[in-house]
Amino acid sequence: MANCDKQQIIPDLDSLSLEEKVAQMFVIRASGYLFDHQIRFPDWEPQKAALQHLIADLGVGGVLLPVGNSGDMFLRSQEIQSWAKIPLLIASDVEEGVGQRFTGATHFPPPMALNTIAQKDINLAEKYAEDLGYHIAQESLELGINWVLGPVVDVNNNPDNPVINVRSFGETPELVNKLATAFIKGAHKWPVLTVAKHFPGHGDTAVDSHIDLPVLPHSDSRLNEIELPPFIAAIKAGVDAIMSAHLLIKSWDSEKPATLSHKILTEKLRNELQFEGLIVTDALVMGAIAKKYGANEAPILALEAGADILLMPLDPAGAIAAICDAVRAGRITEARINESVKRIWTAKQKIFSSPITQSAIPNIATPAAISSVTNILRDSMKAGGPLPLQPQPGGRNLILLDDIFLCEVLGHHTPAIAFPRQLGYKLQLVDRNTNLTPDLDPTTGIPTILQIFIRGNPFRGSNEVIESALTWFKKLLQTQQLQAIVIYGSPYTLEQFLPALPTEIPFVFSYGQQISAQTLALETLFGSSFSLSNFV
């Protein structure tokens, strides 16, 4: 397993300068790839020399690595740990498995798949949730990740939610409580940190906080009934950290978003709910915060509100200096800084107290993990109509997705493309970069399989693509060309198509979009097996 490659000692708090203590409160973002030319988001991901300066010289407390491949990540985590005088928290949003972020590792279906299974068998769903936490934690450690930024404990009771959506375990607090608790139990079989997010609940919003500030208008009683119970359950389950949401909750604080609210983070979470672990902000570069508050003022406000970890500031060096200046000016006490660093020390002691043997090759995508993925996909899949479908050579394989340039689940070798090609279908791709308007000749009568890859998309939304998919769907029905429909991703997308789907046209729905989900969905549709060996 990858972790610190040397016996690093967490120093006594009194031995650190103010600057060193403040720096430990920051978790910055960096590329998960090894080389500078691979950086995808240069505004947020510093080049190697700048990153090494932030870690080795300024002494930031952690690094969030959002995307990459498993080989690079395995080496990257060792590299950045080698720069650090104090062991780093290395975090990633691997809610759907490490393979969601780092290719080569196991990619699970989204957590909401377990909600469907729970409707039929809650005990089985809880077992799968525990397995999910277990495998994510195990594979995270293999690549050097020691902080799993999950589970999402938001109750997704708004189908139009663009940012939570299928990342949630479900639409009721009772189910989210049970499944999130099981996830934490599984993850804690390994020495990793977990985090419940996004406090006090991001599930009933229709605005993406990556872009702007959502407002939650609910009363105190409604929040206590729906939004808070999963966080209370997570605290009881021993979750290590709770991440704040960039939301304005008028019934609790009519002026400041939760991330910057003392009433919410300290009075509600720390005092009333008696949470003793780490309070971490959501990314401070997100539009909900960055648009209104200064790059160096927002971290100060979050610290004053009660945060211990300040995630992804716009200007890490400037923010560290600004907080030190605030301490020297008397705005913040050094005792307040010490409180947070002590909590950080407790968390780091948990994950670094026992040395972890370094593997030569990471042990990921194990048979047990792959089997768990298959089980969840199979037991959450939905299908209807006359199956199996009789293939029509010369037919059209119409794939409609959000953005082909941002899609990592499709390629010439993936089942959604390769399987229909084997059966004689010709490929047509439609996304927001092409003409989304249907252009069909009603006289040709080409039998068409419509495959739709749509789920909630932070930063850009998916309404335009859903409307286009519905237009294509209706046009194919009108011209009697629709042979079958396969939907990957969100049950809310499925619900928009099923009412108008004739019973004689088969459909398959899968929560997953990855290769294993495509394989299972299309094998269900056609009633035959797919083998990649036929195409390579």
Side-chain angles (χ1 to χ4, degrees):
M1 289 189 175
N3 212 313
C4 288
D5 60 357
K6 57 185 178 181
Q7 289 293 317
Q8 290 176 298
I9 299 172
I10 297 176
D12 292 333
L13 197 61
D14 294 339
S15 68
L16 299 182
S17 68
L18 173 62
E19 287 79 6
E20 289 172 321
K21 288 187 287 189
V22 170
Q24 281 294 303
M25 300 177 67
F26 284 87
V27 172
I28 61 172
R29 174 169 170 160
S31 169
Y33 293 102
L34 270 178
F35 304 108
D36 285 346
H37 68 267
Q38 294 174 290
I39 290 174
R40 295 187 178 186
F41 302 95
D43 290 342
W44 296 345
E45 299 171 355
Q47 295 197 351
K48 182 171 290 189
L51 179 62
Q52 186 169 3
H53 169 67
L54 289 168
I55 294 172
D57 301 327
L58 296 188
V60 296
V63 180
L64 182 149
L65 299 159
V67 68
N69 63 64
S70 294
D72 277 9
M73 182 60 198
F74 180 69
L75 299 174
R76 181 68 148 166
S77 64
Q78 297 173 57
E79 177 183 57
I80 61 178
Q81 286 287 14
S82 73
W83 296 338
K85 299 183 179 78
I86 301 171
L88 293 167
L89 298 174
I90 298 183
S92 190
D93 292 285
V94 287
E95 303 156 6
E96 299 171 28
V98 178
Q100 176 194 11
R101 299 287 180 174
F102 303 98
T103 56
T106 308
H107 191 170
F108 281 81
M112 191 171 280
L114 299 179
N115 175 74
T116 293
I117 297 170
Q119 305 299 327
K120 299 173 285 187
D121 189 338
I122 183 59
N123 293 328
L124 182 61
E126 287 182 274
K127 177 189 179 299
Y128 286 162
E130 185 174 341
D131 290 346
L132 177 64
Y134 178 92
H135 291 300
I136 288 176
Q138 181 266 327
E139 292 195 3
S140 292
L141 286 175
E142 289 289 340
L143 301 188
I145 300 165
N146 51 45
W147 193 359
V148 172
L149 296 183
V152 172
V153 302
D154 303 305
V155 179
N156 195 79
N157 47 19
N158 186 339
D160 295 325
N161 195 317
V163 64
I164 303 301
N165 208 276
V166 294
R167 297 167 64 195
S168 168
F169 281 108
E171 299 173 334
T172 67
E174 294 79 15
L175 273 182
V176 175
N177 292 356
K178 292 180 179 180
L179 298 177
T181 296
F183 178 99
I184 294 167
K185 179 182 178 182
H188 279 170
K189 293 180 179 179
W190 298 94
V192 300
L193 302 182
T194 53
V195 60
K197 55 188 187 184
H198 307 78
F199 186 84
H202 206 318
D204 193 9
T205 60
V207 174
D208 184 355
S209 54
H210 292 89
I211 300 171
D212 211 339
L213 180 65
V215 177
L216 211 59
H218 301 312
S219 66
D220 179 71
S221 60
R222 152 61 196 255
L223 294 167
N224 287 325
E225 177 187 358
I226 303 296
E227 276 72 23
L228 282 189
F231 291 96
I232 295 171
I235 292 170
K236 290 181 180 178
V239 75
D240 303 283
I242 290 181
M243 181 181 287
S244 66
H246 299 332
L247 303 172
L248 186 65
I249 304 165
K250 292 186 175 182
S251 62
W252 286 353
D253 191 330
S254 60
E255 297 180 356
K256 293 181 178 178
T259 295
L260 309 181
S261 170
H262 187 273
K263 294 178 181 178
I264 294 174
L265 296 191
T266 296
E267 295 179 20
K268 178 65 68 173
L269 178 55
R270 185 71 75 194
N271 297 339
E272 184 177 326
L273 300 186
Q274 298 183 335
F275 178 61
E276 298 179 356
L278 291 172
I279 297 177
V280 54
T281 70
D282 206 344
L284 295 174
V285 298
M286 290 167 62
I289 298 298
K291 284 184 177 180
K292 183 174 181 180
Y293 304 93
N296 296 334
E297 180 65 12
I300 295 174
L301 292 172
L303 175 59
E304 289 178 323
D308 302 303
I309 295 283
L310 306 167
L311 182 65
M312 284 179 60
L314 281 166
D315 175 13
I320 292 169
I323 289 178
C324 291
D325 288 344
V327 172
R328 296 187 182 100
R331 178 176 174 180
I332 299 171
T333 67
E334 190 163 356
R336 170 67 187 86
I337 303 296
N338 291 341
E339 289 176 8
S340 287
V341 179
K342 286 177 182 177
R343 294 189 188 101
I344 296 168
W345 260 216
T346 298
K348 289 192 172 185
Q349 289 287 1
K350 172 182 175 178
I351 55 180
F352 294 113
S353 59
S354 300
I356 297 178
T357 303
Q358 181 71 55
S359 302
I361 299 174
N363 183 28
I364 56 177
T366 63
I370 298 300
S371 176
S372 184
V373 170
T374 301
N375 290 338
I376 295 172
L377 285 170
R378 182 194 62 234
D379 292 344
S380 63
M381 189 173 66
K382 300 177 182 179
L387 292 170
L389 179 70
Q390 181 64 39
Q392 295 290 325
R396 178 194 292 114
N397 175 25
L398 177 60
I399 296 180
L400 201 149
L401 68 158
D402 176 45
D403 191 331
I404 190 62
F405 296 115
L406 299 175
C407 181
E408 297 185 354
V409 298
L410 291 175
H412 71 92
H413 63 293
T414 59
I417 292 174
F419 198 167
R421 184 172 69 231
Q422 176 193 19
L423 300 175
Y425 289 84
K426 295 182 179 179
L427 175 66
Q428 181 179 351
L429 285 171
V430 176
D431 75 340
R432 65 173 68 236
N433 303 296
T434 64
N435 183 8
L436 288 169
T437 304
D439 182 16
L440 297 173
D441 183 351
T443 64
T444 58
I446 301 175
T448 300
I449 299 168
L450 175 61
Q451 297 190 76
I452 299 173
F453 289 78
I454 298 178
R455 53 177 283 180
N457 290 311
F459 292 104
R460 61 190 186 275
S462 55
N463 287 340
E464 178 187 8
V465 182
I466 290 175
E467 288 302 317
S468 173
L470 285 167
T471 303
W472 275 94
F473 172 69
K474 293 172 184 177
K475 191 71 173 178
L476 287 166
L477 285 177
Q478 291 169 2
T479 57
Q480 297 183 340
Q481 296 182 62
L482 183 63
Q483 190 185 15
I485 182 169
V486 184
I487 296 176
Y488 305 92
S490 172
Y492 304 119
T493 302
L494 175 67
E495 289 171 3
Q496 296 189 58
F497 289 83
L498 276 187
L501 185 67
T503 57
E504 65 271 16
I505 296 178
F507 77 91
V508 179
F509 166 75
S510 175
Y511 278 94
Q513 295 185 332
Q514 64 270 52
I515 287 176
S516 54
Q518 297 171 33
T519 300
L520 187 59
L522 292 177
E523 287 181 346
T524 300
L525 179 66
F526 291 115
S528 59
S529 298
F530 167 75
S531 174
L532 183 60
S533 62
N534 293 326
F535 308 101
V536 294

